[in-house]
Amino acid sequence: MSLVYKNTMNTIGKFVPAKFQPLWNHPAGPQTIFFWAPAFKWGLVMAGLGDLQRPASQISISQSTALGITGVIWTRYSLAITPKNWSLFSVNLFVAITSLYQVSRGIMYQREQQAAVQAAASAK
């Protein structure tokens, strides 16, 4: 780490209340990327929740599948690394859940469209 970063964290650390020092000094605490990467990744979860309002016809099944699989893989990985990163675990679990839900919506929509086409073809 750079000297500037270390000095900045030491200065900020003096103002952190004693009650929060264990979190501040944790190996996956706010002084590390292990804290900030999952914090920013919650943006993907918020975007996924926002996409629940999107019509099923506009869902990209391949993109949602890729995001869901990535979420599953990183959920597992977050428990395999040391230190265990529960923040990374939770954000990736939610990424996987929201993405795989979107996949199910997209597949159900496609099946409904195929059934409607078949019903129209058989009515002729």
Side-chain angles (χ1 to χ4, degrees):
M1 283 190 264
S2 74
L3 186 60
V4 173
Y5 179 77
K6 285 182 182 180
N7 288 337
T8 303
M9 291 299 109
N10 288 335
T11 303
I12 293 171
K14 293 175 186 175
F15 298 103
V16 174
K19 181 178 179 181
F20 296 113
Q21 283 296 325
L23 171 65
W24 181 254
N25 294 315
H26 191 273
Q31 298 183 63
T32 68
I33 191 67
F34 300 116
F35 176 84
W36 293 106
F40 284 105
K41 198 167 185 180
W42 280 103
L44 286 175
V45 175
M46 289 185 275
L49 293 174
D51 282 348
L52 296 177
Q53 302 302 317
R54 180 183 293 209
S57 62
Q58 295 179 354
I59 293 173
S60 170
I61 293 176
S62 58
Q63 180 179 357
S64 295
T65 300
L67 194 56
I69 290 170
T70 302
V72 169
I73 291 169
W74 281 97
T75 297
R76 170 64 182 109
Y77 175 74
S78 66
L79 298 178
I81 59 174
T82 302
K84 288 196 183 336
N85 193 334
W86 295 104
S87 176
L88 185 63
F89 171 81
S90 63
V91 72
N92 282 298
L93 181 64
F94 278 94
V95 165
I97 290 169
T98 56
S99 298
L100 296 175
Y101 177 73
Q102 289 292 72
V103 168
S104 69
R105 284 185 61 217
I107 290 172
M108 285 189 301
Y109 174 78
Q110 286 183 351
R111 287 184 180 165
E112 289 170 2
Q113 294 303 306
Q114 288 173 351
V117 167
Q118 288 174 353
S122 65
K124 287 183 181 181

